[in-house]
Structures are given as structure tokens and as C-alpha cells.
Amino acid sequence: MLRLPTFTYLAPRTVKQALAMKADAGPDGMYVAGGTDLYPNMKRRHQEPRVVISLAGIRALRRGPTVRRSAGPPGNGGGLVLGAGLTLSDLAANVKVRKRYSAVARGAELISTPLLRNMGTLGGNLCLDTRCNYYNQTHEWRKAIDFCMKKDGAICWVAPSSPRCWAVQSSDLAPVMVALDAQFLLIGPGGERLVPASRFYHNDGINYLTKQPDEILLEVRLPAANGWDATYHKLRRRGSFDFPVLGVAVWARWDGTTVRDARIVLGGVASYPQDVPDAAAALVGSRLDDEVIAAAADAAFRPSKPMDNTDFGLAWRKEMTRVYVRRALEEVRERRASRRGRSTTS
Ligand SMILES: Cc1cc2nc3c(=O)[nH]c(=O)nc-3n(C[C@H](O)[C@H](O)[C@H](O)COP(=O)(O)OP(=O)(O)OC[C@H]3O[C@@H](n4cnc5c(N)ncnc54)[C@H](O)[C@@H]3O)c2cc1C
Ligand code: SF4
């Protein structure tokens, strides 16, 4: 049985207290929310904080399951603000999220298992550590190969001549948030700052977040849900349990039956949620007919370059990019057609 190392557990009641505790602990301190990623990682000595500062008792982060309206531009109804401490179960079950942001609900309900979704939070999911077959192993296993660059070692076993780590962005909600152009509100010792989801992530398996270690993710702001649609499709071995080895988030803004703007973001194929702008550009001005969808799927396939460090063969995972992008776009097209059908008959 893997055991947790000894550590001091602190339970602040406010964000201010949490920031002060982190300042006192310095690099030895880490925040924890649901602990479904950090505690297993600590058991394997991936992260070794001597002070763990729990965010679970801070009510301001939970704001839920109620989702409150943000002050959006006049007339568009505003967007929604999600507390970073909302559990994945609350997020997936919330009626407003399900109705207006179904891609977020879908991403949340596809994460791991019901028990883990009851503990795991939105914030923890968006700050999830990157993953690799040579890293997500016990300390003894990693020691036997003399570790790797991501923790305690010097070499990358996936690409031995590479100066960087290629561990994979494996959060289901990260690509969804980038596709939706969500904004993340962070607070640190210097105050608050708002960061677009796309700028929250680095394409680097070790330094995968632009967030500073002492910053807390307070909330996620979703744009007003008007005139666009989005979806998320996930590839994994076991449908009830596993991390994504490919995630496809698609966002499309409609003008009647024509796509006016679009984003396609891939998860599980790089160290960050990978925007594929050429694929999105193929959709703009079209009615999403089969040829356009095939061209977009092809344009997403080309830059999708999974490494040989997660489940399944990399060539097959790359090929699946084409298939999953096509399926996601077909879903968005069908939903648009059925909504327009309903509005013309009513
Ligand atoms: C068996 C198993 C299967 C899983 N499957 C999936 C899956 O399919 N898809 C998926 O996406 N994930 C999966 N996970 C990972 C994890 O359960 C979820 O990503 C979960 O949402 C993590 O949230 P948490 O609150 O438990 O994070 P924690 O473990 O508490 O924290 C994770 C990281 O985020 C930081 N953090 C947490 N909250 C904040 C905050 N508000 N501000 C700043 N930093 C913060 C912590 O310091 C830590 O570095 C799985 C985990 C397990 C054990
Ligand atoms: S990609 Fe390389 S350096 Fe990064 S975790 Fe895997 S083996 Fe280690």
C-alpha cells in the first residue's frame, strides 16, 4: 500500500488566511481542494509539500451548486460565474450549466468516477498535473529507471534527446474552457488578475500553468450563452474511469445556418490544450456540410502530434483526432438543425 508522507494540514476559512499560510510556508506549501490528484501524487512523491493548505473550507470558492450571473454587456443576459471550489458532481448536475453550457456539464460528467467527482473540484481539474507513463508510477518504479526530467531525474524517456518534458495535459475541462474563451480569476499576494483560459496553460510538461504557485484560482467566468453552441468528445479506454487520451472541444457561433466563428481545441495530445486554428478557419462561412467537416477534421489531424507516453498507440490516437473532430462537428450541426426546426414549427 502506498502511504502519504508526513505533512502539516492547514484549514483556512478565508482566501486571505489561505494566502497568508502559503506566504508563511513558502515553496514547502501547496494548496489542495478535493485532493483527488494531489494526494495520489504525494503518495508517489511527485509533489512533496510539507504544508498542505486546504481550500475546501473556504465558502467563497464554493458558491454553489448555485451558479451566479456575471455582469455581462447590456442586453446579452451576462455569462455565468463558477466558483473554483464547485465539485465536478455539482457542476455536472447544475440545471443552468446543463441547459446553457452543456459542453461544461459533459466535460465534468465524463471525468473519472462518481466518487471522485464528488470530491474533485473545478479548480483542481483546471490545475491538474500533466501525465506520462514514465511519471505516473510509484517512487520505486521511477527510481528503477533513474527517474525522469519531470521529477528527480535528468532525462526524458519519451524523447531522450529532448530538452523539455512532453507530459500530457489530461484535464477534461481545460480544452472546454479554452474553446469557450472562459476567463479565470486568480488571486495572489499582489491582488486579483483575470486571465483568458488560453493563456492559463503553457506547452511544457513541467511548467504547464502560467499561474504562480501562491495564486489561488477563485472563479471561472463563462461568456454569455447567446448565438453559439459547443460540445466535448473524449477518447479513453474505460468509459467509466479513465483520463482522456484525446479530448475534442468544439465551439461555433452561428449566423442563421452559417458558422460565423469557431474554435476547436484538442486535449490529451500535447502539454497544453491545443487550439487548432486552421481547423476552425475551415468552418467559417460554411453550413457545416460533410465536405467542410472532413476538411476541418483533416486540418485538426495534421497538427495533432500525440507522444508515446499515454494509453494506446500514438499513430492510432492521432488518427482518432480526425474521427472525434468529425463526430463533434456533426453533433453541433445536428443540434443546430433540430433547434431551427423547432423554432420554425413553433
Ligand atoms: C482514478 C482517477 C481517475 C481520474 N480521471 C480523470 C479524468 O478522466 N479526467 C480528468 O480531468 N481528471 C481525472 N482525474 C483527476 C482528478 O480527479 C480531477 O481532475 C479533479 O477534478 C481534481 O480536482 P481536485 O479538487 O481533487 O484537485 P486537487 O487534487 O485538490 O488539486 C490538484 C492541483 O490543483 C491545485 N488546486 C486545486 N484547486 C486550486 C485552486 N482553487 N487554486 C489554485 N490551485 C488549486 C492543487 O494545488 C493541485 O496542484 C482522475 C483521478 C483519479 C485518481
Ligand atoms: S515526457 Fe519525458 S520528462 Fe516528461 S514525464 Fe514523460 S518521461 Fe518524464
Side-chain angles (χ1 to χ4, degrees):
M1 189 175 77
L2 296 179
R3 289 188 183 280
L4 278 168
T6 304
F7 61 93
T8 302
Y9 179 85
L10 300 178
R13 310 302 293 181
T14 64
V15 170
K16 200 171 159 193
Q17 285 173 0
L19 290 173
M21 288 169 179
K22 175 70 178 112
D24 284 347
D28 281 338
M30 268 190 90
Y31 299 119
V32 70
T36 63
D37 193 54
L38 184 64
Y39 291 140
N41 282 3
M42 285 172 66
K43 288 181 179 178
R44 294 182 298 238
R45 308 302 190 262
H46 293 139
Q47 281 100 41
E48 301 181 89
R50 286 202 280 193
V51 179
V52 173
I53 303 156
S54 171
L55 304 175
I58 303 178
R59 287 182 62 177
L61 291 181
R62 276 183 271 123
R63 298 205 196 281
T66 317
V67 181
R68 65 188 161 89
R69 279 173 185 275
S70 72
N76 73 358
L80 291 176
V81 180
L82 309 171
L86 281 172
T87 67
L88 299 168
S89 297
D90 288 342
L91 199 57
N94 186 276
V95 175
K96 283 180 190 153
V97 176
R98 293 194 79 78
K99 199 166 162 214
R100 299 172 63 202
Y101 299 90
S102 58
V104 175
R106 164 98 61 97
E109 73 193 1
L110 287 175
I111 292 169
S112 57
T113 69
L115 289 177
L116 289 163
R117 289 196 294 275
N118 288 344
M119 288 299 296
T121 64
L122 171 62
N125 186 252
L126 296 174
C127 298
L128 189 69
D129 195 6
T130 51
R131 296 181 63 81
C132 170
N133 285 344
Y134 295 90
Y135 171 72
N136 293 100
Q137 303 288 350
T138 63
H139 186 263
E140 289 68 30
W141 191 102
R142 293 187 295 118
K143 191 175 173 192
I145 59 162
D146 203 15
F147 302 100
C148 79
M149 194 191 291
K150 185 158 158 73
K151 181 73 182 7
D152 299 328
I155 194 172
C156 172
W157 293 107
V158 175
S161 58
S162 169
R164 59 159 285 192
C165 163
W166 298 87
V168 180
Q169 181 283 124
S170 304
S171 150
D172 280 298
L173 285 171
V176 175
M177 294 305 173
V178 175
L180 263 54
D181 198 20
Q183 306 250 318
F184 295 173
L185 182 66
L186 304 174
I187 188 165
E192 292 185 353
R193 65 187 180 108
L194 203 55
V195 182
S198 59
R199 282 205 252 129
F200 190 68
Y201 299 99
H202 270 147
N203 188 12
D204 183 312
I206 296 172
N207 295 311
Y208 45 90
L209 297 182
T210 59
K211 183 184 92 56
Q212 296 304 309
D214 52 4
E215 286 183 306
I216 296 173
L217 175 58
L218 286 179
E219 61 187 35
V220 172
R221 298 183 180 177
L222 301 176
N226 55 352
W228 56 261
D229 193 13
T231 191
Y232 178 69
H233 284 226
K234 169 175 181 173
L235 171 66
R236 57 178 162 178
R237 187 177 290 269
R238 295 167 294 184
S240 60
F241 188 79
D242 285 326
F243 282 88
V245 291
L246 169 69
V248 172
V250 162
W251 174 92
R253 180 176 290 289
W254 292 95
D255 187 358
T257 53
T258 305
V259 176
R260 186 147 51 95
D261 198 2
R263 271 186 297 276
I264 299 178
V265 182
L266 307 178
V269 294
S271 299
Y272 73 134
Q274 188 181 350
D275 196 0
V276 280
D278 288 351
L283 308 174
V284 175
S286 82
R287 294 179 170 223
L288 280 195
D289 54 44
D290 286 348
E291 278 125 61
V292 167
I293 288 180
D298 209 40
F301 164 83
R302 283 193 294 274
S304 169
K305 295 196 168 80
M307 303 289 281
D308 195 10
N309 58 353
T310 66
D311 199 4
F312 297 124
L314 73 162
W316 186 76
R317 280 166 56 214
K318 179 172 169 67
E319 183 56 39
M320 284 302 104
T321 309
R322 210 194 301 263
V323 175
Y324 275 63
V325 168
R326 175 175 56 72
R327 287 181 189 166
L329 289 170
E330 284 171 355
E331 184 197 333
V332 168
R333 176 179 66 185
E334 275 152 33
R335 209 152 53 202
R336 182 66 182 174
S338 78
R339 279 188 191 145
R340 283 185 68 81
R342 274 206 304 275
S343 67
T344 36
T345 48
S346 57

